[in-house]
Amino acid sequence: MSATPTASTPSAPTPSAPVPASSADLRVSLGLTATDGAALRSFLHGLPAVDPVGLEARAAQLASRSIKKDTKRALIDLAISMVDLTTLEGADTPGKVRALCRKGIAPDREHPDTPSVAAICVYPDRVATAVEVLKGTGIKVASVATAFPAGRSSLEVKVADTRLAVDAGADEIDMVIDRAAFLAGDYSTVFEQIAAVKDACGGARLKVILETGELGTYDNVRRASWLALLAGGDFIKTSTGKIAPAATLPVTQVMLQAVRDLHDLTGVQRAVKPAGGIRTTKDAIAYLVLVHEVAGPQWLDPHWFRFGASGVVNDLVMQRRTQRDGHYSGARYVSVD
Amino acid sequence: MARLAVIKTYKLYVGGAFPRSESGRTYQVRDEKGTLMANAALASRKDARNAVVAARAGFGRWSGATPYNRGQVLYRIAEMMEARRSELVDLIVSSRGLSAAQARSEVDASIDRVVHFAGWTDKLPAVFGGANAVSGPYFSYSAPEPCGVVAVAAPDESPLLPLVSVVLPALAAGNSVVVVASEADPCVAVTFAEILATSDVPAGVVNVLTGRHGEIMPWLASHADVDGLDLTGVPAAERQQLEVAAAQTVTRVHAPHRAPDFTATPGTARMRAFLETKTVWHPVGAVSLTGGSSY
């Protein structure tokens, strides 16, 4: 390995080599020439171990930071613009998806200056409905694919699922990794599946869901993050939202360290998306503080950081009104989803 | 050797739990003679916000319960007060310097007041609702419904009877309550909350905040998710600002002009203040051109 990711110590900000154009170049620049099981294992197990006590203490300390007044107002708007407004239910009717899209366009109808969300996230067979409503708005359509949420199917089915969503017009694909293969140490299977799905995505950005609630340790989260980044994932995403615990601050911090280290080492910038369990404005602002402090200010952009959530938009809208009107609002004054 | 007194820290009662103030602040409560009696939480506007969220959650369960069941739960409060009678008497004696006999009579009156309102719950629909005689082929029926979350400023003149007299009618009508306890005398209010916590009242139905009325009440008055505001415990001079804030968010206000005499038999005004009347018009009788059956 010519360059070792350092995770907790900042590396040289500007890499001397040109920014790698492809995933293969990226791997070579990190000294990973082969992608067989042994090479991946030696790279991933060579990553520095996570100190869980220090990690959780730092996350808790950053979460307690007090954000007030203009900064709070700006962060509320930024958080709204970073939301992947999501509905992933068996009962998603086309009408429900259309209603969600309209909510994404104008989260607060009484205050038209409220920003739109970043994307609408639906199942593949609902992509066409969302694309139709969101045409011309700049809001992206994201679709989960690859036998979401368990990911327990063959690669052919996962690739076909991805094509279904891409052909329907999805701009972003949220795939799940094969957690069983990862936990069994079969890194090459996970790697190849991510690479194959990335291939099937074409121009769509790929979000790789690690399902951190099933990975067991922070070390595994770090390894899975790097594995997803090496295989070509544009985003690393914490969770499906179907498993508890979903996103937590410490887990997101490990993932932000991974993308920052990747950027420091190679100049390649990738995105992060915590999903599930982010319900209040306070939660959202704590994540934004984390992004700023762990990854850096250039990640404070909807292109580089997203929230996978649905309910948090209502709380953000209520807080936005509280800041603006000077009195508290209530859940009866925002839309029911 | 003299034993070191254990000074109690009275906390807030929000959503069925006893949290400290979000702000971490406390204040010292002194008895009649000026001796330190206890510490109490000094609630902030964010505690008030949390209490309203809890009250909104509690409202669904409380208003959805049958009036008969609500009556049983309120009666249970009286039973638990009876069990902690001596504790309440001691607190009132030390905080207000009343004689034991006076304190006992206040506690007795308070328990009786709870029983009084426990009896009202299943009579409200009959007294304030019923079929209306209307001229036309309609059956018109009115039913009183609770208005929602009621914010109450507890009166200051004595610690227990006024508190019970303002909280219970709102509860009997099916509302959930956020009550800001008397600032000088929060211990009795929090002890009352401890009684509520052990008497089958669902979490969030009553929430007790201790602290400065002047700090908390404006936020409750302007809160869009508060449906009713009881200003009995607010001096007349300070009411106007709160009433204006309440009007901005369409909140019902109950602000009696004369200072109420809580020792007198309570009327129904306090229950009526936080009831809304729903009237249903249903077509009945022959509406066909033939004048006969519409079948």
Side-chain angles (χ1 to χ4, degrees), chain A residues 34-35 125 209 279:
Chain A
T35 58
D125 62 340
I209 302 171
R279 296 199 175 82

Side-chain angles (χ1 to χ4, degrees), chain A residues 68 319 326-330 332-333, chain B residues 45-46 56 222-225 227 249:
Chain A
K68 300 286 181 210
Q319 281 295 319
H327 66 79
Y328 288 120
S329 180
R332 293 178 299 169
Y333 297 85
Chain B
R45 68 181 171 90
K46 291 192 178 177
R56 177 57 60 192
S222 65
H223 198 309
D225 213 20
D227 305 288
T249 50

Side-chain angles (χ1 to χ4, degrees), chain A residues 33-56:
Chain A
T33 45
T35 58
D36 57 290
L40 287 169
R41 166 173 297 272
S42 96
F43 182 90
L44 296 177
H45 287 255
L47 292 168
V50 181
D51 162 20
V53 175
L55 177 77
E56 285 171 12

Side-chain angles (χ1 to χ4, degrees), chain A residues 65-126:
Chain A
R65 189 170 292 183
S66 182
I67 305 288
K68 300 286 181 210
K69 302 211 158 68
D70 288 346
T71 316
K72 184 169 182 179
R73 277 191 278 273
L75 287 186
I76 288 172
D77 280 5
L78 180 63
I80 294 174
S81 73
M82 284 177 164
V83 170
D84 279 9
L85 195 59
T86 305
T87 182
L88 296 170
E89 303 296 337
D92 286 344
T93 57
K96 188 181 172 194
V97 171
R98 277 194 285 269
L100 194 75
C101 292
R102 283 191 280 268
K103 180 176 178 175
I105 296 168
D108 187 353
R109 287 189 179 279
E110 287 172 35
H111 299 117
D113 59 335
T114 311
S116 302
V117 301
I120 302 293
C121 184
V122 292
Y123 271 119
D125 62 340
R126 289 289 167 258

Side-chain angles (χ1 to χ4, degrees), chain B residues 240-290:
Chain B
Q240 191 193 359
Q241 186 204 346
L242 296 177
E243 290 188 46
V244 168
Q248 304 286 338
T249 50
V250 202
T251 302
R252 277 165 181 255
V253 177
H254 181 67
H257 292 301
R258 282 181 294 131
D261 173 14
F262 289 112
T263 55
T265 309
T268 55
R270 292 187 163 274
M271 287 185 289
R272 226 172 40 234
F274 300 115
L275 282 172
E276 285 169 3
T277 302
K278 180 169 78 181
T279 298
V280 180
W281 294 69
H282 193 276
V284 288
V287 291
S288 73
L289 291 173
T290 59

